[in-house]
Amino acid sequence: MKNITEKIRQQIKDVVLGSIHKSIENEELPSLDITDILIEIPREKGYGDFSTNVAMQITKVAKKAPRQVAEIIIRNIDVKDTYIKKVTCAGPGFINFTLDTKYLYDAIEIIKEEKEQYGHINIGNGKKVMVEFVSANPTGPLHMGNARGGALGDLIASVLDAAGYDVTREFLINDAGNQIVKFGTSLEARYIQLIKGADAVPFPQDGYQGEDIAEHMKDFIEIHGDKYLDVDSEERRKVFVDFALPRNLGKIKEGLESYGIHFDVWFSEQTLHKGNDVAETIQLLKDNDCTIENEGALWLKGSVIGSEKDEVLVRNNGIPTYFAADIAYHRNKFEKRGFEWVINLWGADHHGHVARMKAAMTAIGISPDKLDVVLFQLVRLYRNGEIARMSKRTGKSISLMDLVDEVGKDAVRFFFNNKTSGSHLDFDLDLAVKQSNENPVFYVQYAHARICSMLKLLESEGVHVPSVKDANLELLDKEEEFELIKKLSEYPDEVRISAETLEPSRLTRYVLEVAAAFHSFYNACRVRGEEEQLVKARLILVDCTRIVIKNVLDLLSISAPDRM
RNA sequence: GUGCCCAUAGCUCAGCUGGAUAGAGCAACGCCCUUCUAAGGCGUAGGCCUUGGGUUCGAAUCCCCAUGGGCACACCA
């Protein structure tokens, strides 16, 4: 649970704040109030290892030019007992810090010590958080939206877990409401058509056209025959749904498992209706004077949700809307199950629902700050430079399973997490299957395989990765070695930022950088055949690289092959 | 019509709560395998950060306007 970058940041903060206070005492700076400062890693190596812009930020209250402020801070700074070796003033007033390379050797020790735990931090303090994602419509197969939401949601959950939260992954089964009714009428129509011919009954206009509907009924007929032809419509639709829905769910579960996603909870929407959740929530809204009756329906007042329009909660046929159920669902998450933080992943087409949902939460007395909705843009697939809609294999619209079959789980998970959730994602099917340097997944996996085969070869010659205390890490002093260690040392910080921003796509980019730093190192520095002490030190570095790449890929649920 | 998101190299994208000369990868071009995996490395070239205003010591980043894309506005979920 050690984070060297965090430690250094703290050191810099302490010495800078100390210096500012001292400068105030000296009356070199006027009295001013400052508690936190920004520490960043400069892009340019020439600017040192870390830098702060604090001098420019307090320039106004200090009533001095930024460079002048910076010089005062530097003059009064005390870097005793820190990693800081050199402090300089540069540019418009940046204060740059150059560190003793000892911090890099300490970083290596931490990696070797924590191994597969390296990168786990504790900013969550065991806080109970639910990540609800995919929650696909169970009336059909998983589509591209589910695929992206799945990859993203699972990674967010993994990151939060690594950041010290108590994470629950949840899938909401939408097994209530209109889409189930439509599912039933669609199944019913196909059932009759299959037995009595395509013209026997018209297919419902808004029904599900997919062939899977007919396939369910073909299988059903094989087992039960035509005995449901004479059964009451409502009753047999229920039978059909009860037959087909579990089959779909089974396929969804299977598909998600092969995609590397495992849910802790499969939550049935029906239980909200069957239990008291929906009724209680509606009553609560009524009690809070948030509702109004009109045209035989019950509405949530627009004023409550900051809208000009009221929203229907209970239809004039007495059936609650999805919105009502969703409010109840969120009340259930927080109040009945005690989650302190909930993250929902929704396709961008649901963005209009976010403000409504948060406002509704306020209306039932739950702070909307406890809910985060991560919206992700939808996906377009490309093949041969054109938008691809159909699966090569099945000829039907491309499902998650088709995608995984065509390009493999690793590529899919990598590609979907390589871009920020807010950006539209064009998925290049040709690129994803290419086993070449054009394909970033293979670049990373290759680095890992290269390391493993290297370690294996040396091992076969009796050279093993030593423990840190048996090696002299200070022999690692080449530029490429420093760059690699620096990259490795940043990993806990990457996890922290990913967790704080709920934007973990930076991790795929990070692991690419690690791989690149390793490949550079590999070309510049040999291990095998070097002098014994140097071999030891470099072996440790190589092993640390292996650990970090493996840890990131594990988080991403992408395999880290030993050889390729 | 109202609202939300997006616009950065030829292509796909980064750019953290405003900061130093705007960064990667791919594609292009030129080098590097008698030595641990060349699925690799090193280098070159490539930019009016969509237009126009504003705030600031300082803007790709914040605000407004325009343009061009995507999406949402149901007694659907």
Side-chain angles (χ1 to χ4, degrees):
Chain A
M1 302 274 199
K2 289 177 189 162
N3 182 345
I4 199 90
T5 316
E6 205 54 48
K7 189 173 169 187
I8 293 162
R9 280 212 164 93
Q10 197 55 54
Q11 285 186 355
I12 294 176
K13 270 182 202 175
D14 290 346
V15 297
V16 169
L17 289 175
S19 167
I20 290 175
H21 291 140
K22 193 176 162 198
S23 307
I24 293 169
E25 273 172 40
N26 292 346
E27 294 183 359
E28 288 182 72
L29 287 177
S31 179
L32 52 91
D33 202 28
I34 183 161
T35 50
D36 200 20
I37 60 175
L38 179 71
I39 312 289
E40 14 177 46
I41 298 175
R43 231 184 286 283
E44 287 288 321
K45 286 175 210 159
Y47 298 135
D49 300 304
F50 287 83
S51 80
T52 177
N53 63 350
V54 68
M56 292 179 279
Q57 283 186 330
I58 62 175
T59 183
K60 225 166 210 169
V61 266
K63 297 195 175 74
K64 283 184 194 320
R67 275 198 77 109
Q68 221 179 332
V69 177
E71 311 244 336
I72 291 167
I73 293 173
I74 293 170
R75 198 183 315 138
N76 290 313
I77 213 160
D78 178 10
V79 298
K80 203 169 49 185
D81 300 324
T82 69
Y83 287 117
I84 302 162
K85 204 171 76 182
K86 200 172 82 183
V87 190
T88 56
C89 173
F94 287 98
I95 302 172
N96 293 338
F97 300 86
T98 305
L99 305 185
D100 193 304
T101 48
K102 185 177 186 307
Y103 91 93
L104 294 174
Y105 305 132
D106 287 356
I108 289 182
E109 270 190 60
I110 292 172
I111 299 170
K112 284 293 285 180
E113 209 177 289
E114 302 193 337
K115 296 195 177 67
E116 63 276 3
Q117 286 298 306
Y118 179 64
H120 283 240
I121 55 175
N122 187 16
I123 56 172
N125 285 313
K127 189 173 175 178
K128 222 179 143 194
V129 53
M130 174 198 292
V131 183
E132 186 226 315
F133 60 113
V134 184
S135 299
N137 185 339
T139 59
L142 295 161
H143 54 68
M144 282 312 110
N146 302 138
R148 187 175 189 185
L152 179 61
D154 195 43
L155 181 56
I156 286 178
S158 296
V159 163
L160 292 177
D161 182 60
Y165 290 87
D166 175 9
V167 181
T168 298
R169 290 166 167 84
E170 177 151 316
F171 185 114
L172 171 67
I173 307 166
N174 292 119
D175 53 4
N178 247 330
Q179 56 187 22
I180 292 298
V181 174
K182 264 160 54 178
F183 190 47
T185 53
S186 304
L187 288 165
E188 182 182 42
R190 290 294 183 228
Y191 179 77
I192 297 169
Q193 288 175 346
L194 278 166
I195 295 168
K196 294 171 107 176
D199 299 329
V201 282
F203 192 74
Q205 263 191 343
D206 55 352
Y208 294 110
Q209 301 285 345
E211 283 173 43
D212 50 317
I213 300 291
E215 271 159 32
H216 282 307
M217 288 297 95
K218 270 182 207 157
D219 293 346
F220 183 89
I221 291 166
E222 250 177 56
I223 301 165
H224 303 285
D226 62 1
K227 68 180 179 193
Y228 283 91
L229 279 178
D230 300 326
V231 173
D232 169 68
S233 179
E234 194 175 332
E235 192 186 325
R236 73 181 170 200
R237 283 203 301 256
K238 188 178 177 313
V239 171
F240 295 155
V241 168
D242 286 346
F243 174 80
L245 205 59
R247 283 165 49 114
N248 275 353
L249 274 174
K251 271 193 198 157
I252 287 173
K253 267 185 208 190
E254 200 182 307
L256 289 169
E257 290 283 344
S258 74
Y259 193 40
I261 298 177
H262 178 81
F263 283 95
D264 302 303
V265 179
W266 294 76
F267 191 91
S268 157
E269 188 189 340
Q270 270 188 33
T271 59
L272 294 169
H273 296 279
K274 285 184 182 159
N276 293 324
D277 288 88
V278 175
E280 277 173 11
T281 302
I282 289 171
Q283 190 56 49
L284 192 60
L285 287 166
K286 275 187 186 166
D287 294 346
N288 292 351
D289 196 26
C290 297
T291 60
I292 188 167
E293 281 191 52
N294 195 10
E295 296 170 17
L298 184 74
W299 306 67
L300 185 65
K301 288 181 187 169
S303 58
V304 173
I305 49 176
S307 157
E308 285 171 24
K309 281 187 290 183
D310 301 334
E311 292 282 338
V312 177
L313 290 171
V314 184
R315 302 178 179 96
N316 59 15
N317 63 8
I319 297 172
T321 59
Y322 174 77
F323 186 39
D326 210 15
I327 301 171
Y329 180 38
H330 283 83
R331 184 162 162 268
N332 177 287
K333 290 177 181 180
F334 290 104
E335 307 235 305
K336 302 224 165 155
R337 287 190 281 161
F339 284 97
E340 300 165 83
W341 185 22
V342 168
I343 298 163
N344 291 342
L345 279 100
W346 292 349
D349 51 341
H350 290 83
H351 68 80
H353 195 53
V354 178
R356 264 205 304 276
M357 191 62 232
K358 290 200 169 205
M361 278 176 59
T362 309
I364 55 169
I366 300 169
S367 165
D369 297 339
K370 291 181 172 179
L371 173 70
D372 273 297
V373 179
V374 176
L375 296 172
F376 55 91
Q377 296 293 330
L378 299 181
V379 179
R380 267 188 313 201
L381 296 172
Y382 280 83
R383 190 186 281 123
N384 303 323
E386 287 174 6
I387 294 179
R389 296 186 200 283
M390 298 297 149
S391 159
K392 248 180 179 171
R393 195 171 50 82
T394 61
K396 295 183 222 161
S397 64
I398 302 174
S399 71
L400 170 61
M401 291 306 285
D402 295 326
L403 186 66
V404 171
D405 282 349
E406 186 168 338
V407 308
K409 180 194 85 165
D410 291 348
V412 179
R413 303 244 355 192
F414 193 97
F415 277 61
F416 278 152
N417 277 314
N418 197 23
K419 281 168 195 171
T420 51
S421 52
S423 69
H424 295 260
L425 196 151
D426 293 334
F427 194 108
D428 185 339
L429 288 163
D430 305 308
L431 176 60
V433 288
K434 257 186 210 165
Q435 311 229 336
S436 81
N437 57 348
E438 288 169 65
N439 188 342
V441 192
F442 286 89
Y443 183 84
V444 174
Q445 291 183 320
Y446 178 63
H448 187 266
R450 208 177 207 188
I451 291 170
C452 289
S453 80
M454 212 174 142
L455 294 176
K456 201 173 158 197
L457 176 70
L458 286 162
E459 201 133 312
S460 73
E461 295 171 350
V463 183
H464 305 284
V465 179
S467 67
V468 171
K469 64 179 190 303
D470 293 329
N472 179 10
L473 295 176
E474 287 178 21
L475 294 172
L476 303 172
D477 60 358
K478 278 239 174 67
E479 192 54 37
E480 288 81 1
E481 293 170 323
F482 285 146
E483 288 306 310
L484 179 55
I485 305 169
K486 265 185 211 170
K487 266 287 159 256
L488 300 179
S489 75
E490 288 166 13
Y491 181 45
D493 237 32
E494 290 291 326
V495 173
R496 177 183 62 80
I497 298 170
S498 299
E500 284 172 354
T501 59
L502 298 180
E503 189 55 80
S505 64
R506 57 184 305 120
L507 289 170
T508 51
R509 293 189 292 274
Y510 168 73
V511 76
L512 274 166
E513 286 171 13
V514 172
F518 172 74
H519 288 309
S520 291
F521 158 82
Y522 180 89
N523 274 269
C525 307
R526 289 194 57 80
V527 178
R528 187 167 175 253
E530 292 289 339
E531 184 273 321
E532 193 189 340
Q533 286 305 310
L534 187 58
V535 170
K536 281 186 176 172
R538 285 186 175 164
L539 261 178
I540 288 175
L541 176 54
V542 168
D543 196 42
C544 285
T545 310
R546 180 189 60 78
I547 290 168
V548 172
I549 293 178
K550 175 84 165 72
N551 289 1
V552 184
L553 290 181
D554 279 351
L555 222 50
L556 285 157
S557 194
I558 292 173
S559 62
D562 289 350
R563 60 177 158 166
M564 292 171 75

